[in-house]
Amino acid sequence: MSQRYRYHQRHKRLGGFQVYAVFDGYADTIERQRPKANVDFPRILSSYEDWILSRENLKDPTRKTHRNHMSTAKQVMRWLEEEHSTLHLTPRQIERWWDKLNSTYTTSTANKRLVKLRHLLKQAVDLGMIERNPCDEANAKVQDAEVVNPFRILNTEEVAKMKQRLFDKWDLYTSPNALKERKRPLYGCLPTAMYLGLYAGLRNEEVLQLTWDALNLKPKGTLAVQEVICHNTGKRWIPKDREVRRLGLNENLREALIKEKERQD
């Protein structure tokens, strides 16, 4: 029996996805031969959004949760359009993409993108654009989330100790002489950052990008977390998830900001 005959006997019963898994070149050839006219990416995305909104806890398209869903779905959709415009992916191609995700992003981000890919391809199947979902055949499964330490809320005594420590060292933190006395002078930034964290709940990056233009200290005071353009570099900063919001100022925070503004002026 010839080697070629034995080879054909061994592989003659392979299905479509099994052939893709054995022959990489076969997958590329088939994908190039597929017609592109029946793939409508905007329609897939619209169908996915309708499906997400039909879920019981996601009916409001203006919610941050829904915006996050769609942002991740659009990122995955761009990858599909650029790399697999016919949507005829193989399980092996998905596995390679999954491995790259895990080597580049956190477990949480990789899981979200894999789930979105599965859902988007399911919409393509339901719309008749592809025959079956290759994610069902791929060895790519959502992983357990990374174990992280939970956030802990400071109690009243801890807040009082922090404020007392700042009061004891206030001259060191706010005096212009600190610029000469310290290699990395704080010069007012630590007290302000601490108060913004305690009483406004701002993220570190939001504190760093805050400008006086975003503050209205009269009458009760408000703080706007908004898009900022750096005066020196011209770079644009946008809040995480484009979460532009306006916050009321706690009296303690308002007094601290007024003192800091007077010190800087």
Side-chain angles (χ1 to χ4, degrees), residues 154-164 194 198-199:
L154 297 177
N155 58 44
T156 304
E157 293 181 359
E158 290 172 323
V159 173
K161 288 181 179 179
M162 291 178 65
K163 293 174 66 174
Q164 184 61 43
M194 195 208 77
L198 283 175
Y199 297 114

Side-chain angles (χ1 to χ4, degrees), residues 22-33:
V22 175
F23 305 105
D24 287 335
Y26 178 81
D28 295 335
T29 301
I30 292 299
E31 182 159 358
R32 286 195 300 269
Q33 292 176 351

Side-chain angles (χ1 to χ4, degrees), residues 188-200:
C189 67
L190 181 59
T192 304
M194 195 208 77
Y195 273 89
L196 287 168
L198 283 175
Y199 297 114

Side-chain angles (χ1 to χ4, degrees), residues 51-255:
W51 176 76
I52 281 291
L53 289 174
S54 68
R55 300 179 65 179
E56 183 177 358
N57 62 334
L58 296 174
K59 294 182 179 179
D60 184 0
T62 64
R63 289 181 57 183
K64 177 182 175 182
T65 303
H66 179 70
R67 296 199 304 270
N68 290 343
H69 272 294
M70 296 308 300
S71 175
T72 305
K74 290 176 181 177
Q75 291 172 351
V76 175
M77 186 67 80
R78 282 196 294 269
W79 173 75
L80 287 172
E81 289 187 85
E82 294 172 1
E83 302 293 334
H84 303 282
S85 58
T86 64
L87 287 189
H88 290 280
L89 291 86
T90 69
R92 179 172 292 185
Q93 288 170 329
I94 292 176
E95 291 166 6
R96 290 173 178 168
W97 176 71
W98 174 237
D99 290 340
K100 184 177 180 180
L101 286 180
N102 282 301
S103 64
T104 307
Y105 302 102
T106 63
T107 300
S108 175
T109 299
N111 284 343
K112 289 176 182 177
R113 296 198 180 190
L114 177 63
V115 171
K116 290 297 178 288
L117 177 64
R118 187 183 301 275
H119 290 166
L120 288 169
L121 292 177
K122 181 182 183 302
Q123 298 302 317
V125 172
D126 294 343
L127 293 170
M129 298 182 188
I130 56 177
E131 295 180 1
R132 55 195 298 185
N133 191 339
C135 288
D136 297 337
E137 303 284 338
N139 184 22
K141 309 297 181 184
V142 172
Q143 301 180 12
D144 293 334
E146 299 170 339
V147 178
V148 296
N149 295 327
F151 290 107
R152 185 176 66 83
I153 300 176
L154 297 177
N155 58 44
T156 304
E157 293 181 359
E158 290 172 323
V159 173
K161 288 181 179 179
M162 291 178 65
K163 293 174 66 174
Q164 184 61 43
R165 179 67 174 174
L166 284 178
F167 180 78
D168 293 341
K169 300 288 185 176
W170 194 263
D171 290 342
L172 176 62
Y173 293 146
T174 59
S175 171
N177 293 329
L179 292 171
K180 302 177 182 179
E181 296 170 0
R182 297 174 63 95
K183 292 182 179 179
R184 299 180 62 186
L186 298 170
Y187 193 38
C189 67
L190 181 59
T192 304
M194 195 208 77
Y195 273 89
L196 287 168
L198 283 175
Y199 297 114
L202 296 190
R203 301 181 178 97
N204 292 343
E205 189 68 18
E206 291 172 342
V207 173
L208 290 173
Q209 300 294 340
L210 194 63
T211 64
W212 289 113
D213 295 339
L215 289 168
N216 178 12
L217 299 176
K218 299 178 181 180
K220 294 184 178 181
T222 58
L223 181 155
V225 180
Q226 58 191 6
E227 181 179 310
V228 176
I229 299 178
C230 179
H231 295 295
N232 295 329
T233 64
K235 292 184 177 180
R236 185 185 303 272
W237 176 82
I238 301 175
K240 182 180 179 182
D241 300 328
R242 299 184 179 274
E243 189 180 1
V244 178
R245 60 196 190 279
R246 186 172 294 276
L247 309 173
L249 295 183
N250 173 283
E251 187 60 30
N252 292 315
L253 176 58
R254 181 173 176 274
E255 291 180 2

